Amino acid sequence: MEKKYINPDTLMTPRGFTQVVTIAGASKLVFISGQVAVDKEGKLVGPGDLKAQIRQAASNLKAALTAAGATAADIVKTNTYIVNYKQADYSAMREARAELFPEGEPPASTMVGVTSLAVDGLMVEMEAIAAVK
């Protein structure tokens, strides 16, 4: 399987994500449902604390990847939804992404501000697609 990370000269050079990711010859694609800030028992983690919720959602995302035989390095696309997103929230998301993707090429990425998520109190939801050899 070959993953190619492309940041065309005709587009802005991004920080923390890649504009285009292609996969050739992938033997397994992994689709991770949106992960939120709840622990294994379903208890909300970090009420009112976006950074804590982002870290928990990222931790849950890693656990889901592990269950599928994948790692964060296998992620090729993420979608992140933040409740009542403000530009100031971007730094918290960037810090969490740096922990999730400490080295190598970052995946293609979309971040969207939303008015609410499925359960009151949730502030962030992260979903991913991974490609595993």
Side-chain angles (χ1 to χ4, degrees):
M1 170 186 67
E2 178 187 348
K3 291 187 273 186
K4 187 172 180 181
Y5 296 82
I6 305 167
N7 286 304
D9 292 339
T10 54
L11 295 175
M12 172 198 80
T13 301
R15 289 182 18 197
F17 69 96
T18 298
Q19 294 285 10
V20 179
V21 178
T22 64
I23 303 167
S27 60
K28 178 167 79 168
L29 291 178
V30 179
F31 298 85
I32 307 292
S33 293
Q35 299 299 306
V36 296
V38 296
D39 62 18
K40 186 177 176 181
E41 287 74 37
K43 182 180 176 196
L44 179 65
V45 174
D49 184 341
L50 181 61
K51 284 185 181 182
Q53 289 205 15
I54 290 170
R55 283 193 172 90
Q56 181 64 44
S59 176
N60 292 348
L61 183 60
K62 285 181 184 179
L65 288 163
T66 298
T71 69
D74 297 313
I75 295 175
V76 295
K77 174 71 171 110
T78 64
N79 290 329
T80 303
Y81 307 93
I82 297 178
V83 173
N84 299 321
Y85 176 78
K86 302 170 289 312
Q87 186 64 42
D89 298 335
Y90 184 72
S91 63
M93 192 62 222
R94 190 172 58 226
E95 287 175 28
R97 287 179 60 82
E99 293 172 14
L100 189 58
F101 309 111
E103 55 189 50
E105 299 284 352
S109 179
T110 300
M111 186 165 53
V112 179
V114 296
T115 57
S116 65
L117 292 170
V119 176
D120 285 340
L122 291 175
M123 301 173 76
V124 64
E125 184 165 345
M126 300 169 72
E127 64 184 18
I129 300 172
V132 182
K133 284 186 179 181

